[in-house]
Amino acid sequence: MVMHKFLEKWNALPVHKQVASIGVSLVLSYSLYTSIVTVLVIPVINQLQQDADHEG
């Protein structure tokens, strides 16, 4: 029911506003994704560098 009301409001919006909000949500999800990847990848890279230092 909530979704239906949301879609009614969504369809009432001009197209450029629909496109703008899609763009904003894409940018937000992209920045969230990159920050998660960064948090996960940096420790791995540090660990690999430490391993390489020990071997070298």
Side-chain angles (χ1 to χ4, degrees):
M1 191 61 200
V2 173
M3 193 67 189
H4 181 68
K5 282 193 173 161
F6 172 76
L7 284 174
E8 277 182 359
K9 284 186 178 174
W10 177 261
N11 290 332
L13 285 175
V15 170
H16 66 93
K17 283 195 176 168
Q18 289 183 4
V19 171
S21 46
I22 289 173
V24 167
S25 55
L26 280 176
V27 167
L28 286 175
S29 53
Y30 176 74
S31 57
L32 182 67
Y33 172 76
T34 49
S35 59
I36 290 172
V37 167
T38 305
V39 165
L40 292 177
V41 165
I42 284 177
V44 173
I45 291 174
N46 288 341
Q47 188 61 49
L48 290 174
Q49 285 177 337
Q50 285 177 1
D51 292 348
D53 289 347
H54 289 309
E55 288 171 14

Short mmCIF file of all heavy atoms in Angstrom, two decimals:
data_model
loop_
_atom_site.label_atom_id
_atom_site.label_comp_id
_atom_site.label_asym_id
_atom_site.label_seq_id
_atom_site.Cartn_x
_atom_site.Cartn_y
_atom_site.Cartn_z
N MET A 1 0.84 -1.21 0.00
CA MET A 1 0.00 0.00 0.00
C MET A 1 0.87 1.25 0.00
O MET A 1 0.64 2.18 -0.75
CB MET A 1 -0.89 -0.03 1.25
CG MET A 1 -1.98 1.04 1.21
SD MET A 1 -3.09 0.78 -0.20
CE MET A 1 -3.82 2.39 -0.34
N VAL A 2 1.88 1.26 0.86
CA VAL A 2 2.80 2.40 0.90
C VAL A 2 3.50 2.55 -0.46
O VAL A 2 3.62 3.64 -0.98
CB VAL A 2 3.84 2.20 2.02
CG1 VAL A 2 4.92 3.28 1.97
CG2 VAL A 2 3.15 2.20 3.37
N MET A 3 3.91 1.41 -1.02
CA MET A 3 4.60 1.43 -2.30
C MET A 3 3.69 2.03 -3.38
O MET A 3 4.14 2.80 -4.22
CB MET A 3 4.99 -0.01 -2.68
CG MET A 3 5.95 -0.10 -3.81
SD MET A 3 7.57 0.58 -3.32
CE MET A 3 8.38 0.58 -4.89
N HIS A 4 2.41 1.69 -3.32
CA HIS A 4 1.45 2.19 -4.31
C HIS A 4 1.36 3.71 -4.23
O HIS A 4 1.38 4.40 -5.25
CB HIS A 4 0.09 1.55 -4.07
CG HIS A 4 -0.96 2.00 -5.06
ND1 HIS A 4 -0.88 1.66 -6.40
CD2 HIS A 4 -2.07 2.74 -4.91
CE1 HIS A 4 -1.92 2.21 -7.02
NE2 HIS A 4 -2.66 2.87 -6.14
N LYS A 5 1.26 4.26 -3.03
CA LYS A 5 1.19 5.71 -2.86
C LYS A 5 2.48 6.35 -3.34
O LYS A 5 2.47 7.41 -3.98
CB LYS A 5 0.94 6.07 -1.39
CG LYS A 5 -0.50 5.88 -0.99
CD LYS A 5 -0.78 6.52 0.36
CE LYS A 5 -2.28 6.47 0.64
NZ LYS A 5 -2.60 6.65 2.05
N PHE A 6 3.60 5.69 -3.01
CA PHE A 6 4.90 6.19 -3.47
C PHE A 6 4.94 6.26 -4.99
O PHE A 6 5.37 7.24 -5.56
CB PHE A 6 6.02 5.29 -2.94
CG PHE A 6 7.36 5.61 -3.52
CD1 PHE A 6 8.07 6.72 -3.07
CD2 PHE A 6 7.91 4.83 -4.52
CE1 PHE A 6 9.31 7.03 -3.61
CE2 PHE A 6 9.15 5.13 -5.06
CZ PHE A 6 9.84 6.24 -4.61
N LEU A 7 4.45 5.21 -5.65
CA LEU A 7 4.46 5.18 -7.12
C LEU A 7 3.55 6.25 -7.70
O LEU A 7 3.89 6.86 -8.72
CB LEU A 7 4.03 3.79 -7.62
CG LEU A 7 5.09 2.70 -7.49
CD1 LEU A 7 4.52 1.35 -7.88
CD2 LEU A 7 6.30 3.02 -8.33
N GLU A 8 2.42 6.51 -7.04
CA GLU A 8 1.54 7.58 -7.51
C GLU A 8 2.26 8.92 -7.47
O GLU A 8 2.23 9.70 -8.42
CB GLU A 8 0.27 7.65 -6.67
CG GLU A 8 -0.78 6.65 -7.08
CD GLU A 8 -2.06 6.79 -6.26
OE1 GLU A 8 -2.09 7.65 -5.34
OE2 GLU A 8 -3.00 6.04 -6.54
N LYS A 9 2.94 9.20 -6.34
CA LYS A 9 3.69 10.45 -6.23
C LYS A 9 4.84 10.48 -7.23
O LYS A 9 5.12 11.50 -7.85
CB LYS A 9 4.23 10.60 -4.81
CG LYS A 9 3.18 11.01 -3.80
CD LYS A 9 3.81 11.28 -2.44
CE LYS A 9 2.74 11.73 -1.46
NZ LYS A 9 3.28 11.87 -0.10
N TRP A 10 5.50 9.34 -7.37
CA TRP A 10 6.63 9.22 -8.29
C TRP A 10 6.20 9.55 -9.71
O TRP A 10 6.85 10.31 -10.42
CB TRP A 10 7.18 7.79 -8.20
CG TRP A 10 8.30 7.50 -9.14
CD1 TRP A 10 8.21 6.87 -10.34
CD2 TRP A 10 9.68 7.83 -8.96
NE1 TRP A 10 9.46 6.78 -10.91
CE2 TRP A 10 10.37 7.36 -10.09
CE3 TRP A 10 10.39 8.48 -7.95
CZ2 TRP A 10 11.74 7.52 -10.23
CZ3 TRP A 10 11.76 8.63 -8.10
CH2 TRP A 10 12.42 8.17 -9.23
N ASN A 11 5.06 8.97 -10.15
CA ASN A 11 4.58 9.19 -11.51
C ASN A 11 4.13 10.63 -11.72
O ASN A 11 4.13 11.12 -12.84
CB ASN A 11 3.44 8.23 -11.82
CG ASN A 11 3.95 6.80 -11.96
OD1 ASN A 11 5.09 6.57 -12.33
ND2 ASN A 11 3.11 5.83 -11.64
N ALA A 12 3.74 11.31 -10.64
CA ALA A 12 3.32 12.70 -10.74
C ALA A 12 4.52 13.63 -10.95
O ALA A 12 4.37 14.74 -11.43
CB ALA A 12 2.55 13.11 -9.50
N LEU A 13 5.72 13.15 -10.58
CA LEU A 13 6.91 13.99 -10.73
C LEU A 13 7.26 14.17 -12.20
O LEU A 13 7.03 13.29 -13.01
CB LEU A 13 8.12 13.30 -10.06
CG LEU A 13 8.19 13.31 -8.54
CD1 LEU A 13 9.38 12.48 -8.10
CD2 LEU A 13 8.30 14.71 -8.00
N PRO A 14 7.83 15.34 -12.52
CA PRO A 14 8.37 15.51 -13.87
C PRO A 14 9.53 14.55 -14.09
O PRO A 14 10.20 14.13 -13.14
CB PRO A 14 8.88 16.96 -13.89
CG PRO A 14 8.35 17.61 -12.66
CD PRO A 14 7.97 16.52 -11.70
N VAL A 15 9.77 14.21 -15.35
CA VAL A 15 10.79 13.22 -15.69
C VAL A 15 12.16 13.63 -15.19
O VAL A 15 12.91 12.81 -14.66
CB VAL A 15 10.82 12.99 -17.22
CG1 VAL A 15 12.02 12.15 -17.61
CG2 VAL A 15 9.53 12.31 -17.68
N HIS A 16 12.52 14.91 -15.31
CA HIS A 16 13.87 15.32 -14.90
C HIS A 16 14.08 15.13 -13.40
O HIS A 16 15.17 14.82 -12.96
CB HIS A 16 14.18 16.75 -15.34
CG HIS A 16 13.34 17.80 -14.67
ND1 HIS A 16 13.73 18.45 -13.53
CD2 HIS A 16 12.12 18.30 -15.00
CE1 HIS A 16 12.79 19.32 -13.19
NE2 HIS A 16 11.81 19.25 -14.04
N LYS A 17 12.99 15.27 -12.62
CA LYS A 17 13.13 15.00 -11.18
C LYS A 17 13.29 13.51 -10.91
O LYS A 17 14.04 13.12 -10.02
CB LYS A 17 11.91 15.54 -10.42
CG LYS A 17 11.95 17.04 -10.26
CD LYS A 17 10.97 17.51 -9.22
CE LYS A 17 11.12 19.02 -9.00
NZ LYS A 17 10.00 19.57 -8.21
N GLN A 18 12.60 12.68 -11.68
CA GLN A 18 12.77 11.23 -11.55
C GLN A 18 14.22 10.85 -11.85
O GLN A 18 14.86 10.12 -11.11
CB GLN A 18 11.83 10.49 -12.49
CG GLN A 18 10.38 10.58 -12.09
CD GLN A 18 9.48 9.78 -13.01
OE1 GLN A 18 9.94 9.11 -13.91
NE2 GLN A 18 8.19 9.89 -12.78
N VAL A 19 14.74 11.38 -12.96
CA VAL A 19 16.11 11.09 -13.36
C VAL A 19 17.09 11.59 -12.31
O VAL A 19 18.04 10.89 -11.95
CB VAL A 19 16.42 11.73 -14.73
CG1 VAL A 19 17.90 11.62 -15.05
CG2 VAL A 19 15.59 11.07 -15.83
N ALA A 20 16.83 12.78 -11.77
CA ALA A 20 17.72 13.34 -10.75
C ALA A 20 17.75 12.46 -9.51
O ALA A 20 18.83 12.18 -8.97
CB ALA A 20 17.27 14.76 -10.40
N SER A 21 16.60 11.99 -9.06
CA SER A 21 16.60 11.18 -7.85
C SER A 21 17.24 9.81 -8.09
O SER A 21 17.90 9.27 -7.21
CB SER A 21 15.19 11.05 -7.27
OG SER A 21 14.28 10.74 -8.27
N ILE A 22 17.08 9.26 -9.30
CA ILE A 22 17.78 8.01 -9.64
C ILE A 22 19.28 8.26 -9.61
O ILE A 22 20.04 7.47 -9.05
CB ILE A 22 17.34 7.49 -11.02
CG1 ILE A 22 15.90 6.96 -10.95
CG2 ILE A 22 18.27 6.39 -11.51
CD1 ILE A 22 15.33 6.59 -12.29
N GLY A 23 19.72 9.38 -10.18
CA GLY A 23 21.14 9.72 -10.19
C GLY A 23 21.69 9.85 -8.78
O GLY A 23 22.75 9.33 -8.47
N VAL A 24 20.94 10.54 -7.92
CA VAL A 24 21.38 10.73 -6.54
C VAL A 24 21.51 9.39 -5.82
O VAL A 24 22.51 9.12 -5.16
CB VAL A 24 20.39 11.65 -5.78
CG1 VAL A 24 20.64 11.59 -4.27
CG2 VAL A 24 20.54 13.09 -6.28
N SER A 25 20.53 8.52 -6.01
CA SER A 25 20.60 7.23 -5.32
C SER A 25 21.74 6.37 -5.87
O SER A 25 22.40 5.65 -5.12
CB SER A 25 19.26 6.48 -5.41
OG SER A 25 18.87 6.35 -6.75
N LEU A 26 22.01 6.48 -7.17
CA LEU A 26 23.15 5.76 -7.75
C LEU A 26 24.46 6.26 -7.15
O LEU A 26 25.32 5.47 -6.78
CB LEU A 26 23.18 5.93 -9.27
CG LEU A 26 22.24 5.04 -10.06
CD1 LEU A 26 22.32 5.39 -11.54
CD2 LEU A 26 22.56 3.57 -9.84
N VAL A 27 24.60 7.58 -7.06
CA VAL A 27 25.83 8.16 -6.50
C VAL A 27 26.00 7.73 -5.05
O VAL A 27 27.09 7.34 -4.62
CB VAL A 27 25.79 9.70 -6.63
CG1 VAL A 27 26.89 10.33 -5.79
CG2 VAL A 27 25.94 10.10 -8.09
N LEU A 28 24.91 7.77 -4.27
CA LEU A 28 24.99 7.38 -2.87
C LEU A 28 25.38 5.91 -2.72
O LEU A 28 26.26 5.58 -1.92
CB LEU A 28 23.64 7.62 -2.18
CG LEU A 28 23.30 9.08 -1.89
CD1 LEU A 28 21.90 9.19 -1.31
CD2 LEU A 28 24.31 9.69 -0.94
N SER A 29 24.76 5.04 -3.51
CA SER A 29 25.09 3.63 -3.39
C SER A 29 26.50 3.36 -3.88
O SER A 29 27.21 2.52 -3.31
CB SER A 29 24.08 2.76 -4.15
OG SER A 29 23.95 3.19 -5.47
N TYR A 30 26.95 4.10 -4.90
CA TYR A 30 28.32 3.93 -5.39
C TYR A 30 29.33 4.35 -4.32
O TYR A 30 30.31 3.64 -4.09
CB TYR A 30 28.52 4.75 -6.67
CG TYR A 30 29.94 4.70 -7.18
CD1 TYR A 30 30.42 3.55 -7.79
CD2 TYR A 30 30.79 5.79 -7.02
CE1 TYR A 30 31.72 3.49 -8.26
CE2 TYR A 30 32.09 5.74 -7.48
CZ TYR A 30 32.55 4.58 -8.10
OH TYR A 30 33.84 4.53 -8.55
N SER A 31 29.09 5.49 -3.67
CA SER A 31 30.04 5.95 -2.66
C SER A 31 30.04 5.02 -1.45
O SER A 31 31.09 4.75 -0.86
CB SER A 31 29.73 7.39 -2.24
OG SER A 31 28.42 7.50 -1.77
N LEU A 32 28.86 4.50 -1.09
CA LEU A 32 28.79 3.52 -0.01
C LEU A 32 29.59 2.28 -0.38
O LEU A 32 30.39 1.77 0.41
CB LEU A 32 27.32 3.15 0.25
CG LEU A 32 27.07 2.17 1.39
CD1 LEU A 32 27.43 2.81 2.72
CD2 LEU A 32 25.63 1.72 1.40
N TYR A 33 29.40 1.80 -1.62
CA TYR A 33 30.11 0.62 -2.10
C TYR A 33 31.61 0.82 -2.07
O TYR A 33 32.35 -0.03 -1.58
CB TYR A 33 29.61 0.31 -3.52
CG TYR A 33 30.39 -0.77 -4.22
CD1 TYR A 33 30.19 -2.12 -3.88
CD2 TYR A 33 31.29 -0.46 -5.22
CE1 TYR A 33 30.89 -3.12 -4.52
CE2 TYR A 33 32.00 -1.46 -5.87
CZ TYR A 33 31.80 -2.79 -5.52
OH TYR A 33 32.50 -3.76 -6.16
N THR A 34 32.07 1.97 -2.57
CA THR A 34 33.52 2.21 -2.61
C THR A 34 34.10 2.32 -1.21
O THR A 34 35.20 1.85 -0.96
CB THR A 34 33.85 3.47 -3.41
OG1 THR A 34 33.02 4.54 -2.96
CG2 THR A 34 33.65 3.26 -4.89
N SER A 35 33.35 2.92 -0.28
CA SER A 35 33.88 3.04 1.09
C SER A 35 33.96 1.67 1.74
O SER A 35 34.93 1.37 2.43
CB SER A 35 33.03 3.99 1.92
OG SER A 35 31.69 3.55 1.98
N ILE A 36 32.97 0.80 1.50
CA ILE A 36 33.02 -0.56 2.05
C ILE A 36 34.20 -1.32 1.46
O ILE A 36 34.98 -1.96 2.17
CB ILE A 36 31.69 -1.30 1.77
CG1 ILE A 36 30.57 -0.71 2.61
CG2 ILE A 36 31.84 -2.80 2.04
CD1 ILE A 36 29.20 -1.25 2.28
N VAL A 37 34.37 -1.24 0.14
CA VAL A 37 35.47 -1.92 -0.52
C VAL A 37 36.81 -1.42 0.02
O VAL A 37 37.72 -2.21 0.29
CB VAL A 37 35.39 -1.72 -2.06
CG1 VAL A 37 36.69 -2.13 -2.73
CG2 VAL A 37 34.21 -2.50 -2.62
N THR A 38 36.92 -0.10 0.19
CA THR A 38 38.16 0.48 0.71
C THR A 38 38.47 -0.07 2.09
O THR A 38 39.60 -0.48 2.37
CB THR A 38 38.04 2.01 0.76
OG1 THR A 38 37.67 2.49 -0.54
CG2 THR A 38 39.35 2.65 1.17
N VAL A 39 37.45 -0.08 2.95
CA VAL A 39 37.64 -0.58 4.32
C VAL A 39 38.07 -2.05 4.30
O VAL A 39 38.89 -2.47 5.11
CB VAL A 39 36.33 -0.40 5.13
CG1 VAL A 39 36.36 -1.21 6.41
CG2 VAL A 39 36.12 1.08 5.43
N LEU A 40 37.54 -2.82 3.36
CA LEU A 40 37.88 -4.24 3.29
C LEU A 40 39.24 -4.47 2.64
O LEU A 40 39.98 -5.37 3.04
CB LEU A 40 36.81 -5.00 2.50
CG LEU A 40 35.43 -5.09 3.16
CD1 LEU A 40 34.46 -5.81 2.24
CD2 LEU A 40 35.51 -5.81 4.51
N VAL A 41 39.58 -3.66 1.64
CA VAL A 41 40.77 -3.92 0.83
C VAL A 41 42.05 -3.41 1.50
O VAL A 41 43.08 -4.08 1.42
CB VAL A 41 40.59 -3.29 -0.58
CG1 VAL A 41 41.91 -3.22 -1.32
CG2 VAL A 41 39.57 -4.10 -1.36
N ILE A 42 41.99 -2.26 2.16
CA ILE A 42 43.20 -1.67 2.74
C ILE A 42 43.92 -2.62 3.71
O ILE A 42 45.13 -2.80 3.59
CB ILE A 42 42.89 -0.30 3.39
CG1 ILE A 42 42.72 0.74 2.29
CG2 ILE A 42 43.98 0.12 4.36
CD1 ILE A 42 42.33 2.11 2.80
N PRO A 43 43.23 -3.28 4.65
CA PRO A 43 43.94 -4.21 5.54
C PRO A 43 44.59 -5.36 4.77
O PRO A 43 45.68 -5.80 5.12
CB PRO A 43 42.83 -4.74 6.46
CG PRO A 43 41.74 -3.74 6.39
CD PRO A 43 41.82 -3.13 5.02
N VAL A 44 43.93 -5.82 3.72
CA VAL A 44 44.49 -6.91 2.92
C VAL A 44 45.77 -6.46 2.24
O VAL A 44 46.78 -7.16 2.26
CB VAL A 44 43.45 -7.39 1.87
CG1 VAL A 44 44.08 -8.41 0.92
CG2 VAL A 44 42.23 -7.97 2.57
N ILE A 45 45.75 -5.26 1.67
CA ILE A 45 46.95 -4.71 1.00
C ILE A 45 48.07 -4.54 2.02
O ILE A 45 49.22 -4.91 1.76
CB ILE A 45 46.60 -3.39 0.30
CG1 ILE A 45 45.68 -3.65 -0.89
CG2 ILE A 45 47.88 -2.68 -0.15
CD1 ILE A 45 45.17 -2.38 -1.54
N ASN A 46 47.76 -4.00 3.18
CA ASN A 46 48.77 -3.83 4.23
C ASN A 46 49.38 -5.17 4.62
O ASN A 46 50.59 -5.28 4.78
CB ASN A 46 48.16 -3.15 5.46
CG ASN A 46 47.87 -1.68 5.21
OD1 ASN A 46 48.41 -1.08 4.29
ND2 ASN A 46 47.00 -1.11 6.02
N GLN A 47 48.53 -6.17 4.74
CA GLN A 47 49.01 -7.50 5.12
C GLN A 47 49.93 -8.06 4.04
O GLN A 47 50.99 -8.60 4.33
CB GLN A 47 47.81 -8.44 5.33
CG GLN A 47 48.18 -9.78 5.92
CD GLN A 47 48.82 -9.65 7.30
OE1 GLN A 47 48.30 -8.96 8.16
NE2 GLN A 47 49.94 -10.32 7.51
N LEU A 48 49.54 -7.88 2.78
CA LEU A 48 50.36 -8.37 1.67
C LEU A 48 51.72 -7.67 1.65
O LEU A 48 52.75 -8.29 1.41
CB LEU A 48 49.64 -8.16 0.33
CG LEU A 48 48.42 -9.05 0.09
CD1 LEU A 48 47.71 -8.64 -1.19
CD2 LEU A 48 48.83 -10.52 0.03
N GLN A 49 51.71 -6.37 1.90
CA GLN A 49 52.97 -5.62 1.91
C GLN A 49 53.86 -6.10 3.06
O GLN A 49 55.07 -6.24 2.89
CB GLN A 49 52.70 -4.12 2.03
CG GLN A 49 52.19 -3.51 0.73
CD GLN A 49 51.87 -2.05 0.87
OE1 GLN A 49 51.60 -1.56 1.97
NE2 GLN A 49 51.88 -1.32 -0.23
N GLN A 50 53.27 -6.36 4.20
CA GLN A 50 54.05 -6.86 5.34
C GLN A 50 54.65 -8.22 5.01
O GLN A 50 55.82 -8.48 5.28
CB GLN A 50 53.16 -6.97 6.59
CG GLN A 50 52.86 -5.63 7.22
CD GLN A 50 51.92 -5.75 8.41
OE1 GLN A 50 51.51 -6.85 8.77
NE2 GLN A 50 51.55 -4.62 8.99
N ASP A 51 53.86 -9.09 4.39
CA ASP A 51 54.37 -10.41 3.99
C ASP A 51 55.54 -10.26 3.02
O ASP A 51 56.54 -10.94 3.14
CB ASP A 51 53.25 -11.24 3.36
CG ASP A 51 52.18 -11.63 4.39
OD1 ASP A 51 52.44 -11.45 5.59
OD2 ASP A 51 51.11 -12.09 3.97
N ALA A 52 55.38 -9.35 2.07
CA ALA A 52 56.44 -9.13 1.09
C ALA A 52 57.68 -8.59 1.77
O ALA A 52 58.80 -9.00 1.42
CB ALA A 52 55.94 -8.15 0.02
N ASP A 53 57.52 -7.73 2.75
CA ASP A 53 58.67 -7.18 3.49
C ASP A 53 59.40 -8.29 4.23
O ASP A 53 60.62 -8.36 4.22
CB ASP A 53 58.21 -6.10 4.47
CG ASP A 53 57.77 -4.84 3.76
OD1 ASP A 53 58.06 -4.72 2.55
OD2 ASP A 53 57.12 -3.99 4.40
N HIS A 54 58.66 -9.22 4.84
CA HIS A 54 59.29 -10.30 5.59
C HIS A 54 60.09 -11.20 4.66
O HIS A 54 61.18 -11.64 4.99
CB HIS A 54 58.24 -11.10 6.35
CG HIS A 54 57.64 -10.36 7.51
ND1 HIS A 54 58.40 -9.74 8.46
CD2 HIS A 54 56.34 -10.14 7.86
CE1 HIS A 54 57.61 -9.17 9.36
NE2 HIS A 54 56.34 -9.38 9.01
N GLU A 55 59.50 -11.49 3.49
CA GLU A 55 60.19 -12.37 2.54
C GLU A 55 61.42 -11.69 1.95
O GLU A 55 62.46 -12.31 1.77
CB GLU A 55 59.24 -12.79 1.42
CG GLU A 55 58.17 -13.79 1.91
CD GLU A 55 57.10 -14.03 0.85
OE1 GLU A 55 57.32 -13.65 -0.31
OE2 GLU A 55 56.05 -14.59 1.20
N GLY A 56 61.29 -10.41 1.66
CA GLY A 56 62.39 -9.67 1.04
C GLY A 56 63.50 -9.47 2.05
O GLY A 56 64.65 -9.40 1.73
#
